[in-house]
Amino acid sequence: MLKATLQDVQRALTHARRGRVLLLVMASALGTAVLARLMLRVPQAAATPGTTVAVVVLFGVLVVALVVRARRAEWTEPSLPRVALWIEEQTEETPTHALVTWAELAAAPLSPPSSWDSPSEGLQQSANEVVTRSANSGALARALSRRRWALWRGPLLFVAGAVLLLLVGGKRQPAFNSATVGNTRSEGPAAPGATGSSAGGLGRLRMRVEPPRYAGIPDSVFDDASSVRALSGSRIVVEGVGVAPHATLAVVGTDSAGRAAPRVLRTASDSLGGWLLRFAAQDVPLALGLRRGEASRLLVVEGVRDSLPRVSLEAPARDSVFREARGSLVLEARASDDLGVASASFELVVSSGEGERFTVRTVLVGAQRYAPPAKRASWRGTLDLAALGLGPGDVVHVRAVARDAHPLASREAGSSETRAFRIARPAEYDSVAVEPAPPPAVDSSLLSQRMLLMLTERLDARQKRMARAEVLRESLRIARDQQKLRLAVGDVVFQRLSGESSVEHAHYAGDGHDHGVDQQGGKLAMSTNSTTGMLEEGNDSPIVAINKPLLEAYNAMWDAGRALEQGDPRGAIPAMRRALEAIERSRAATRLYLRGRPPQVIVDLAKVRLTGKDTGQTLPRSTRLAVPTLSAQRDARLVAVAVEMARESATPNAERRPVRDSLLLLRAEALADDPAFAAALGRLLDAMGKGGDVTNEFVAARRVLGNVRRAAVQPWSSGTP
């Protein structure tokens, strides 16, 4: 039993010592890998990565050899007397050395074969007591565990630290913004000859995209990517090695000649001897140009605009007029957003009064908050007409609004179409039983003139506390709504006079048409030579009473729109009030009740023939060259790139970076207005990165522009001589 116990402890100690040697070798290898990674970040070493790696590997092999040589004594197993002495030292408070004495006598070379069993009865009994006491109390097992941890602790901690450094240094986070050339993603270092590979004089480049915090998107890191997509407002960090290059940033437009002058970016030095620069992504593509000596590089950042939430008002489905302000309506809406809807509600704009005396108030109902933001959201609310305290003539405009998590307070919310609910006035009811014609369809999303006036007055009151750019943005938004309402009023006028819409074609004096009105400088005026008989009926006729105030409202809306487009809300208020007064006069005019639809007027061609003002004679025109279209210009640039690429292909070891940069710039310009052409150029760049013939990709890109036509080929015939 004593022999078996000593041999078990001997094997355990041997395994612990050999495990330490293996951990030391592993630590030396991992330390060499960490050293190689750090060396490659030094500009001088990064210039020749192959040589640097070879030197570091040779150094690592030398270190491993020295460790093995220094620790080879630990690979051998300890002697039995040394094991017995270690047991007594670790398990006995006052060692009696009985076990080690017994082991020395038993292991003596001149001892008889039976010495394992009977060196002496007293000594053997004392040795058995030491082993039995240490085994039963667990002291021997604890001593072995402490010895193993003491031998392995240092090397094991070093190995764990080295592995952590390698994992953190090489970790790539999941990308929302794809580093793309065409439709492919760059997930790592580009292959030799690929579009994203580094230029020799600038070394390897790393781009880090840091999206805004509200988006909830992790950062993305791309190595040697020529084109990346980033959310507008993201911070772009470009890192490199060596001497900092000259960096310029330019906005890429649809027309190269119309782009603003590029601005110079300042580069900063990092802690490892490299360089970095930072800039923010915008809503439009940006071209970052880097130049160091004769070497140059072009990086394109495709800005992705943060879209507003898409909102749809499901219920109620249409406008309505109520006799009394009683009852309630169920409101239902849906919204979706690419980053998530953070809040949603129903907005009620209640307008009361008439003419110059009116009040407007805004009420929010059914407000909801979503944490975290939801990609799709639906919510419900209730419109209680009695709780709003409505009176006769009051109008309630209802729309659903939703916002994402964008922190800017002035950011516009996503809104749905507007529903209008009006409480009828007592004067609107009469006892005449008629069969009225159906009213013309009017876009229910148009805001009323009264609401636009309220928004303009509110903007005028706040403009002293707002920046000029913000005032201009709000003013242009109101101007767009004013233009929609003005066009709707114009449609009503022309439909009443001729049954045609004012947007079908332009109307002006002497155009050969008789509409009863003329368009002069954007405004409408009564025609003095009309054949419709509108003026012949007199100024008291119902037709004049209804349409003349609408013409005044149309012209006043024109003046208000001009002032709003110039960012002058105060100058637009008088014109908007005149338009509101004119609309009220038109509503108070005599009403015509028609029994059924009016008959369709057939034009008497014999009566109207040769009544126009056009003589049919034109002045001779000079021949002018056709202005090249945008597609033709892009086609010419694409052909020039193909010619340059063919010239470079004929030259061995030619640098194709200018060709790639030209295609990248052309693709960035086409992203906004011609995505099909941009996708074709992306496939062309992918094919160039893979190498080989790219003629088919060039032809496919030209066909997308529509400038390549296939010619019909006459078939061969055996009967042809």
Side-chain angles (χ1 to χ4, degrees):
M1 179 179 176
L2 288 177
K3 177 181 177 182
T5 302
L6 289 177
Q7 289 177 344
D8 290 341
V9 176
Q10 184 184 38
R11 283 193 296 270
L13 293 176
T14 302
H15 292 163
R17 297 171 64 179
R18 292 178 179 178
R20 173 183 172 83
V21 175
L22 293 178
L23 286 175
L24 289 175
V25 173
M26 187 182 301
S28 302
L30 291 175
T32 304
V34 173
L35 179 62
R37 181 176 291 275
L38 294 177
M39 288 291 294
L40 288 176
R41 297 183 65 89
V42 178
Q44 293 77 5
T48 56
T51 305
T52 302
V53 172
V55 171
V56 173
V57 169
L58 182 61
F59 175 75
V61 172
L62 181 61
V63 170
V64 170
L66 292 177
V67 169
V68 172
R69 179 178 178 83
R71 298 293 178 177
R72 63 179 180 179
E74 297 182 7
W75 194 263
T76 60
E77 60 182 13
S79 61
L80 288 177
R82 183 69 185 89
V83 172
L85 179 61
W86 179 83
I87 292 176
E88 291 197 71
E89 291 176 349
Q90 299 295 325
T91 60
E92 297 291 328
E93 295 182 358
T94 305
T96 59
H97 300 94
L99 182 61
V100 64
T101 303
W102 179 87
E104 288 178 350
L105 293 176
L110 298 179
S111 59
S114 60
S115 60
W116 283 101
D117 297 325
S118 55
S120 68
E121 292 296 335
L123 183 61
Q124 185 174 0
Q125 184 177 0
S126 300
N128 280 327
E129 291 177 356
V130 172
V131 173
T132 302
R133 186 167 53 251
S134 61
N136 293 337
S137 63
L140 182 58
R142 291 192 297 270
L144 286 174
S145 299
R146 289 195 303 269
R147 181 58 178 169
R148 188 181 299 109
W149 174 244
L151 292 175
W152 291 1
R153 178 177 53 193
L156 193 60
L157 292 178
F158 187 88
V159 168
V163 171
L164 183 62
L165 287 177
L166 292 175
L167 291 178
V168 171
K171 182 179 180 181
R172 182 179 304 278
Q173 299 181 354
F176 160 75
N177 310 304
S178 302
T180 60
V181 179
N183 298 324
T184 60
R185 177 184 299 179
S186 174
E187 292 292 348
T195 307
S197 60
S198 62
L202 290 173
R204 298 173 59 86
L205 300 180
R206 170 170 293 182
M207 298 182 67
R208 185 169 68 253
V209 180
E210 302 175 358
R213 291 186 177 180
Y214 77 89
I217 303 171
D219 297 349
S220 306
V221 181
F222 306 103
D223 291 332
D224 281 341
S226 296
S227 177
V228 298
R229 299 181 71 243
L231 183 66
S232 177
S234 301
R235 188 171 66 167
I236 310 298
V237 182
V238 183
E239 302 176 353
V241 296
V243 180
H246 177 72
T248 58
L249 186 67
V251 176
V252 180
T254 56
D255 184 8
S256 299
R259 295 197 307 269
R263 60 187 180 95
V264 179
L265 298 180
R266 293 192 305 175
T267 58
S269 300
D270 60 10
S271 58
L272 297 177
W275 57 268
L276 58 88
L277 57 88
R278 301 181 179 90
F279 61 94
Q282 302 179 14
D283 295 341
V284 295
L286 300 176
L288 175 64
L290 302 175
R291 179 175 294 276
R292 181 196 293 162
E294 297 297 329
S296 63
R297 182 82 179 272
L298 183 68
L299 306 177
V300 176
V301 178
E302 304 172 17
V304 179
R305 183 190 300 269
D306 183 9
S307 60
L308 296 177
R310 295 184 177 182
V311 187
S312 175
L313 184 60
E314 303 292 333
R318 59 182 62 86
D319 303 346
S320 184
V321 179
F322 296 94
R323 182 183 293 269
E324 297 178 352
R326 293 188 306 176
S328 60
L329 298 176
V330 177
L331 307 179
E332 296 181 1
R334 299 178 183 274
S336 62
D337 188 70
D338 53 352
L339 298 179
V341 178
S343 62
S345 62
F346 295 100
E347 184 180 77
L348 312 180
V349 179
V350 183
S351 59
S352 305
E354 57 181 344
E356 293 294 334
R357 299 179 180 177
F358 67 92
T359 59
V360 178
R361 52 195 172 98
T362 303
V363 181
L364 296 180
V365 297
Q368 298 286 339
R369 286 195 170 273
Y370 302 94
K375 300 289 184 180
R376 298 182 181 275
S378 60
W379 68 102
R380 297 167 59 92
T382 303
L383 171 58
D384 190 350
L385 297 177
L388 293 177
L390 303 177
D394 293 354
V395 181
V396 181
H397 300 274
V398 182
R399 66 174 183 173
V401 295
R403 297 180 181 273
D404 55 15
H406 198 287
L408 191 60
S410 60
R411 175 176 168 83
E412 183 180 0
S415 60
S416 67
E417 63 276 13
T418 303
R419 303 279 190 265
F421 303 97
R422 185 169 60 88
I423 308 301
R425 293 186 174 90
E428 297 181 19
Y429 300 99
D430 51 39
S431 60
V432 180
V434 297
E435 183 183 353
V442 179
D443 187 4
S444 61
S445 65
L446 293 175
L447 301 176
S448 66
Q449 181 65 23
R450 182 169 298 164
M451 185 174 182
L452 292 178
L453 177 59
M454 179 271 297
L455 293 176
T456 306
E457 290 178 340
R458 185 179 299 175
L459 177 61
D460 178 50
R462 294 188 296 116
Q463 68 173 337
K464 293 183 179 181
R465 303 187 301 271
M466 301 168 60
R468 176 59 183 171
E470 187 176 356
V471 173
L472 183 59
R473 182 171 60 254
E474 295 290 338
S475 181
L476 289 176
R477 184 187 307 169
I478 301 175
R480 289 193 294 268
D481 294 333
Q482 182 70 85
Q483 181 184 11
K484 294 179 182 179
L485 187 56
R486 177 173 58 83
L487 294 178
V489 172
D491 289 343
V492 173
V493 173
F494 280 101
Q495 287 173 356
R496 287 177 176 177
L497 295 178
S498 60
E500 297 180 355
S501 174
S502 62
V503 298
E504 293 179 3
H505 53 272
H507 307 276
Y508 52 89
D511 64 350
H513 302 275
D514 187 10
H515 302 284
V517 293
D518 295 333
Q519 187 174 10
Q520 301 174 357
K523 296 185 178 182
L524 298 179
M526 291 287 188
S527 177
T528 58
N529 53 0
S530 172
T531 61
T532 61
M534 185 181 73
L535 295 181
E536 296 174 3
E537 299 183 9
N539 292 333
D540 295 334
S541 66
I543 298 179
V544 175
I546 295 177
N547 290 286
K548 189 175 181 180
L550 289 180
L551 292 178
E552 295 178 6
Y554 184 93
N555 296 333
M557 292 179 185
W558 171 270
D559 295 334
R562 293 285 298 274
L564 290 171
E565 290 174 355
Q566 297 174 6
D568 184 14
R570 179 169 299 178
I573 292 176
M576 300 180 75
R577 289 176 177 171
R578 292 197 306 270
L580 184 60
E581 292 175 358
I583 293 175
E584 292 293 336
R585 290 200 305 271
S586 176
R587 294 177 57 188
T590 304
R591 291 177 173 82
L592 297 179
Y593 295 92
L594 305 178
R595 296 190 64 82
R597 297 178 181 272
Q600 185 177 3
V601 178
I602 306 300
V603 178
D604 189 351
L605 296 180
K607 182 179 179 180
V608 301
R609 183 177 287 119
L610 301 179
T611 59
K613 304 300 183 181
D614 194 353
T615 61
Q617 298 179 358
T618 59
L619 297 176
R621 300 178 179 179
S622 58
T623 304
R624 298 182 180 179
L625 297 177
V627 178
T629 62
L630 186 59
S631 297
Q633 295 175 357
R634 289 174 176 171
D635 180 69
R637 294 171 59 185
L638 183 60
V639 172
V641 171
V643 173
E644 181 65 23
M645 185 174 179
R647 184 182 300 110
E648 292 179 354
S649 299
T651 304
N653 300 326
E655 174 63 34
R656 294 188 178 183
R657 176 61 57 185
V659 173
R660 295 193 188 96
D661 292 348
S662 299
L663 290 176
L664 280 171
L665 190 59
L666 185 59
R667 177 178 176 271
E669 294 175 4
L671 284 172
D673 59 332
D674 197 348
F677 180 58
L681 290 180
R683 291 189 292 269
L684 173 58
L685 288 167
D686 290 340
M688 290 178 59
K690 297 176 182 177
D693 187 14
V694 294
T695 304
N696 294 333
E697 284 73 14
F698 267 108
V699 174
R702 293 196 65 198
R703 284 176 178 167
V704 172
L705 292 175
N707 294 326
V708 176
R709 296 179 177 86
R710 295 184 179 181
V713 180
Q714 296 295 336
W716 290 95
S717 175
S718 59
T720 303

